[in-house]
């Protein structure tokens, strides 16, 4: 399946969950986790776009999106520090 189709379907499902709410607890948890993963990926994208000038590049994958999405800005800073000093 094309990646754009998969992303469109997932985005549509997330929008439906945002507007209607989840009928039961596990679906609500999955919806919140998916939103945090998307926010984490967006944070990483903006970090890579802004940090390109300074040589900062953190790959965008499931693990880094989860860390930056669930931990927020401190997680993003930690990922950039790990990328800079350890790797």
């Amino acid at each position: 399946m094309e990646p754009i189709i998969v992303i469109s379907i997932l985005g549509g499902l997330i929008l439906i969950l945002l507007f209607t709410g989840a009928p039961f607890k596990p679906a609500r948890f999955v919806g919140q986790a998916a939103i945090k993963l998307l926010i984490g990926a967006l944070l990483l994208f903006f970090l890579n776009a802004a940090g390109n000038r300074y040589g900062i590049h953190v790959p965008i994958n499931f693990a880094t999106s989860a860390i930056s999405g669930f931990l927020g800005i401190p997680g993003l800073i930690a990922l950039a520090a790990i990328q800079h000093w350890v790797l």
Side-chain angles (χ1 to χ4, degrees):
M1 206 186 286
E2 293 291 323
I4 192 73
I5 294 172
V6 173
I7 292 171
S8 299
I9 291 171
L10 289 176
L13 289 174
I14 289 171
L15 284 174
I16 290 171
L17 282 174
L18 281 173
F19 288 122
T20 62
F24 53 96
K25 204 79 154 161
R28 183 172 302 197
F29 176 71
V30 170
Q32 288 176 349
I35 290 171
K36 287 186 179 193
L37 283 172
L38 287 173
I39 290 171
L42 282 173
L43 286 173
L44 286 169
F45 173 76
F46 289 126
L47 173 71
N48 288 336
N52 190 19
R53 176 181 293 174
Y54 305 107
I56 297 172
H57 175 74
V58 179
I60 302 174
N61 55 34
F62 182 78
T64 57
S65 294
I67 290 170
S68 63
F70 286 103
L71 297 179
I73 301 296
L76 191 67
I77 293 170
L79 284 171
I82 288 170
Q83 182 69 24
H84 182 70
W85 283 305
V86 176
L87 301 175

